[in-house]
């Protein structure tokens, strides 16, 4: 039995006194319910509040599915969002970083769950974050079927929060993109990024601090927007265009270009015996990257190993499919360029080289 004084004492400490408001958390879940419901898709009811969420693969149209899962976060881009007081785009980033990793394996994202942790729940900021998550799910065609919101005073500083995302997708058995058919002579296409996406922000923030810039002031590389707004441009979601090209039989391999850039990510989808030669001047490098290199003093070798530098997704296609693949991606709203080729690789050669890097970089 509970001690009587523990039940009746009016001076006993409460969870709310310790910084965690259960009623506020329940109200928050109720407030974001419509956002999740709006992402419902076949196979999912996309409701919140239960101990777990169900998904019906048969109702989603799958006969012999293989599940594919991915998890990721937004990194220190969140520090920029918090400092700028703009929370409406990082939810899109969260979804993008997960679902783009699913689609490169040929999987259709089906559902998404988020983890949102903070020192003290700010309902307005929290709703903006979840609205971004719902928007990202809508762009990817997946359902937001659950998540967790945690108040943890003492672990996070006041005003801080962190995000983690979890996506599950599916593909029919035998339809996975493995890159095993990539061969010398294949063409590499690059899909345009929206800018920085969600990688390298520890370096970006250091450049901003070193230059003494204000996030509310105009961006040096885009005077029409504040620096905060420009840096927070959300990660592009490539799911629908990549699925369309894959289902049309036009794709051999896909690589999501995140931290590590083309140099680290594209070789991950190459079979032994081949390498990629990238033409450094084959696409326009967005102004934000030129600014980081010029004003920020970041060496080009570090730029291409830290940032996407304008290519958010790389696509490997057979040469005879290049024109048709380009049409599919363009019809889906992508901007793309032929950026390189697959060639035979000697055992001691690097898996990727970039020709004329310095000459191609904008001054």
């Amino acid at each position: 039995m509970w001690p009587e004084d523990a039940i009746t004492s009016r001076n006993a400490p409460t969870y709310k006194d310790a910084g965690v408001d259960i009623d506020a958390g329940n109200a928050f879940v109720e407030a974001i319910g419509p956002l999740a419901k709006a992402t419902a898709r076949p196979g999912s009811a996309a409701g919140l509040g239960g101990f777990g969420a169900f998904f019906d693969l048969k109702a989603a149209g799958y006969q012999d599915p293989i599940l594919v899962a991915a998890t990721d976060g937004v990194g220190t881009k969140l520090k920029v969002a918090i400092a700028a007081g703009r929370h409406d785009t990082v939810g899109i980033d969260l979804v993008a970083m997960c679902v783009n990793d699913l689609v490169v394996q040929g999987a259709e994202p089906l559902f998404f769950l988020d983890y949102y942790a903070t020192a003290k729940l700010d309902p307005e900021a929290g709703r903006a974050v979840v609205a971004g998550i719902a928007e990202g799910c809508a762009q990817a065609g997946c359902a937001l079927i659950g998540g967790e919101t945690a108040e943890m005073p003492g672990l996070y500083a006041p005003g801080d929060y962190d995000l983690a995302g979890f996506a599950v997708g599916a593909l029919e058995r035998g339809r996975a993109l493995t890159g095993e058919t990539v061969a010398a002579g294949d063409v590499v296409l690059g899909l345009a990024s929206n800018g920085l996406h969600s990688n390298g922000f520890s370096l970006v923030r250091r450049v901003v601090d070193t230059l003494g810039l204000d996030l509310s002031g105009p961006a040096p590389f885009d005077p029409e927007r504040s620096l905060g707004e420009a840096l927070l441009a959300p990660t592009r979601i490539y799911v629908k265009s990549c699925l369309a090209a894959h289902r049309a039989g036009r794709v051999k391999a896909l690589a999501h270009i995140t931290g590590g850039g083309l140099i680290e990510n594209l070789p991950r989808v190459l079979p032994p015996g081949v390498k990629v030669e990238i033409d450094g001047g084959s696409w326009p490098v967005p102004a934000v990257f030129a600014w980081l290199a010029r004003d920020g003093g970041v060496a080009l070798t570090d730029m291409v190993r830290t940032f996407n530098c304008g290519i958010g997704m790389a696509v490997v296609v057979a040469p005879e499919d290049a024109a048709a693949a380009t049409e599919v991606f363009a019809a889906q709203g992508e901007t793309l360029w032929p950026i390189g080729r697959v060639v035979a690789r000697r055992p001691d050669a690097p898996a990727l080289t970039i020709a004329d890097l310095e000459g191609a970089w904008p001054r």
Side-chain angles (χ1 to χ4, degrees), residues 52-252:
F54 293 93
F55 192 93
D56 186 341
L57 284 167
K58 186 174 182 180
Y62 286 88
Q63 303 302 314
D64 187 15
I66 301 294
L67 295 180
V68 185
T71 183
D72 211 332
V74 182
T76 61
K77 189 173 187 177
L78 291 177
K79 297 291 287 185
V80 177
I82 293 165
R86 299 181 62 96
H87 310 284
D88 55 337
T89 60
V90 289
I92 300 175
D93 289 302
L94 184 66
V95 176
M97 296 303 288
C98 296
V99 298
N100 284 343
D101 280 353
L102 293 183
V103 77
V104 299
Q105 295 170 96
E108 175 194 15
L110 299 177
F111 58 86
F112 189 85
L113 301 99
D114 71 277
Y115 178 75
Y116 174 43
T118 184
K120 182 174 178 58
L121 182 61
D122 178 339
E124 183 177 350
R127 191 184 188 286
V129 168
V130 177
I133 294 172
E135 170 60 25
C137 287
Q139 291 183 24
C142 65
L144 176 58
I145 63 172
E148 171 70 4
T149 302
E151 283 188 306
M152 292 189 282
L155 185 58
Y156 294 96
D160 278 354
Y161 61 87
D162 197 11
L163 296 173
F166 312 88
V168 174
L171 51 85
E172 293 290 358
R173 192 179 302 274
R175 291 288 293 155
L177 281 174
T178 64
E180 62 186 359
T181 64
V182 171
D186 287 343
V187 175
V188 181
L189 306 175
L191 307 188
S193 71
N194 278 350
L196 293 166
H197 285 184
S198 298
N199 300 104
F201 270 84
S202 293
L203 178 54
V204 173
R205 290 168 44 241
R206 182 168 185 172
V207 168
V208 170
D209 290 344
T210 299
L211 296 177
L213 298 176
D214 187 341
L215 293 175
S216 63
F221 52 89
D222 186 358
E224 298 299 315
R225 295 191 288 178
S226 71
L227 179 58
E229 181 183 6
L231 294 179
L232 290 170
T235 306
R236 186 166 180 82
I237 293 175
Y238 299 97
V239 167
K240 292 181 179 180
S241 61
C242 287
L243 284 178
H246 176 42
R247 289 166 177 168
R250 305 297 185 183
V251 174
K252 285 191 171 187

